[in-house]
Amino acid sequence: MHMTPIVVGPGDGTTIDGPVGGPVTFKVRAAQTDGTLTAYENVVAPGDGPPCHVHRAEDETFWVIDGALRFRLGDEVHSAPTGSFLFIPRGTPHCFQNVGDRPARVMVLLTPSGMEWFLERLAALGPDDVDQETFLTLMREEGMDVVGPPLAVSHPL
């Protein structure tokens, strides 16, 4: 495949319902990058975040565009205010939580491409059709393993 440069303007991209309280807007996808990169903007509602999990095949990078998050990376918990950048190598247990009082915006990069199929499958089902077992099954099928609970609001930094 011959790749070409990609420019995505502000507010552009394909938007779907995200799993953590807000929309996910894809900026670049596997088909556009020959599988080397998936990039999306994720809006995370206050208090929300995924369970602690690992990616088997992708490294994950976060840039906090706006908001106040915190991340568990392995056994450590880190504050991640606006402007924070985090690189999470594949196989690292991690989760995050919006600890602010308004939606947070993060840019997420996955290398090589991955997880976009999980997000699409989850959005296609709709929130009323996704129970915990379905969520965990989709995660496993798309190369992720849940290894712990989400961060709790009361967890100290």
Side-chain angles (χ1 to χ4, degrees):
M1 172 182 191
H2 175 71
M3 289 189 287
T4 60
I6 298 168
V7 177
V8 181
D12 290 344
T14 302
T15 301
I16 63 172
D17 290 331
V20 286
V24 166
T25 302
F26 290 105
K27 300 300 185 174
V28 69
R29 310 204 40 177
Q32 299 166 288
T33 65
D34 197 22
T36 61
L37 174 68
T38 295
Y40 60 89
E41 183 178 332
N42 193 11
V43 176
V44 183
D48 278 357
C52 191
H53 62 281
V54 297
H55 297 266
R56 287 182 235 131
E58 304 92 20
D59 300 321
E60 190 169 25
T61 302
F62 290 84
W63 176 47
V64 181
I65 299 169
D66 186 35
L69 284 86
R70 65 181 170 171
F71 283 76
R72 173 177 287 145
L73 306 174
D75 294 330
E76 298 181 3
V77 176
H78 299 270
S79 177
T82 297
S84 296
F85 180 90
L86 301 96
F87 172 75
I88 306 167
R90 68 194 76 188
T92 302
H94 66 283
C95 57
F96 62 88
Q97 179 189 37
N98 179 350
V99 293
D101 59 2
R102 59 189 169 83
R105 292 176 39 234
V106 294
M107 179 61 65
V108 182
L109 310 172
L110 292 134
T111 53
S113 290
M115 208 172 92
E116 65 189 79
W117 300 280
F118 166 74
L119 296 170
E120 286 179 328
R121 290 177 70 192
L122 202 57
L125 290 174
D128 294 335
D129 296 323
V130 180
D131 57 18
Q132 184 173 6
E133 184 176 331
T134 301
F135 184 82
L136 295 174
T137 298
L138 288 176
M139 286 189 79
R140 277 191 304 276
E141 289 175 356
E142 298 298 342
M144 295 173 279
D145 296 305
V146 173
V147 296
L151 280 171
V153 173
S154 61
H155 189 285
L157 283 176

